[in-house]
């Protein structure tokens, strides 16, 4: 089973080496690693050119992160597709092997797991622990969602149900997971392992205004995928994250 991993970059030189090397160090042999760059002006491309584990490297203007991810999906030839943000890294060298094993054993369409938020500069300092759980019908209604950086899906699902929607703003990842798991009921399996360490920060959390805008995008994602009582779910969604800060 070939696993395609897509990293989107734009002036990501500060942390890109750690990201790439976490893929390079995986024990699983059949990885296709794709980097989609948005015409970086720093040393991103020079760093990427140093590594021989990158299967494809594209650098061109895009319409943002999700447009770049869609470009990567179009290039991917793996049986399964996942993403790895340029600032983040795979937590251990057996992550991809364990993901592949679950796809093979369970014939799953989607596999997801746990994520730790770490300090931007001191990655040994854990700020928040996102521990997920097995999917149950209706759990999205309670504000639950998987951690998107741990979300791996069979390539055929993107072909059948579509890619990331560019009209959903920062909720494009949430909308896609809702679409696959809730709307189309794709068989999903939880991997109880820290899969990704993610540097704290993000485009939907850097200000109150951004957070309010993100909440509106979440609500739109819920409505288009037929979630009952979307306003209640939108209210519960941020509340479910509070215990993540207490698991330290």
């Amino acid at each position: 089973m070939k696993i395609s991993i897509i990293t989107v970059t734009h002036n990501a030189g500060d942390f890109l080496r750690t990201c790439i090397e976490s893929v390079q160090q995986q024990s699983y042999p059949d990885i296709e690693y794709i980097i989609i760059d948005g015409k970086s002006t720093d040393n991103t491309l020079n760093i990427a050119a140093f590594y021989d584990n990158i299967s494809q490297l594209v650098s061109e203007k895009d319409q943002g992160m999700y447009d770049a991810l869609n470009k990567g999906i179009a290039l991917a030839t793996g049986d399964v597709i996942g993403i790895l943000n340029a600032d983040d890294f795979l937590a251990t060298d057996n992550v991809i092997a364990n993901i592949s094993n679950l796809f093979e054993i369970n014939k799953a369409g989607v596999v997801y797991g746990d994520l730790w938020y770490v300090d931007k500069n001191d990655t040994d300092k854990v700020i928040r622990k996102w521990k997920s759980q097995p999917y149950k019908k209706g759990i999205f209604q309670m504000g639950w969602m998987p951690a998107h950086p741990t979300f791996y899906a069979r390539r055929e699902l993107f072909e059948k149900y579509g890619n990331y929607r560019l009209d959903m703003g920062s909720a494009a990842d949430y909308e896609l997971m809702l679409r696959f798991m809730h709307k189309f009921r794709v068989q999903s399996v939880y991997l109880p392992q820290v899969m990704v360490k993610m540097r704290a920060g993000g485009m939907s959390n850097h200000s109150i205004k951004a957070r309010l805008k993100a909440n509106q995008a979440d609500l739109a994602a819920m409505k288009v995928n037929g979630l009952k009582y979307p306003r209640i779910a939108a209210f519960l969604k941020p509340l479910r994250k509070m215990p993540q800060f207490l698991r330290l």
Side-chain angles (χ1 to χ4, degrees), residues 33-139:
Y33 189 31
I34 300 169
I35 294 183
I36 306 295
D37 178 71
K39 274 291 185 184
S40 288
T41 56
D42 67 350
N43 60 344
T44 291
L45 295 178
N46 290 333
I47 291 171
F50 180 79
Y51 294 91
D52 60 7
N53 65 314
I54 298 172
S55 307
Q56 298 194 61
L57 172 60
V58 175
S59 183
E60 61 187 23
K61 291 289 186 180
D62 56 51
Q63 299 177 54
M65 174 182 174
Y66 299 108
D67 179 44
L69 281 175
N70 286 342
K71 290 181 180 181
I73 292 167
L75 293 173
T77 62
D79 303 288
V80 169
I81 297 174
I83 73 156
L84 184 63
N85 296 325
D87 291 351
D88 309 333
F89 55 97
L90 297 170
T92 60
D93 63 7
N94 66 350
V95 169
I96 302 303
N98 290 342
I99 290 170
S100 175
N101 189 50
L102 281 186
F103 273 107
E104 294 280 12
I105 292 175
N106 295 279
K107 306 302 179 184
V110 164
V111 169
Y112 61 92
D114 298 336
L115 177 148
W116 282 2
Y117 287 84
V118 296
D119 183 82
K120 186 175 183 179
N121 298 305
D122 180 6
T123 57
D124 290 328
K125 181 180 179 181
V126 180
I127 297 173
R128 172 180 163 194
K129 294 182 179 181
W130 188 329
K131 185 173 178 60
S132 199
Q133 66 184 83
Y135 173 75
K136 297 178 182 178
K137 183 180 177 181
I139 197 170

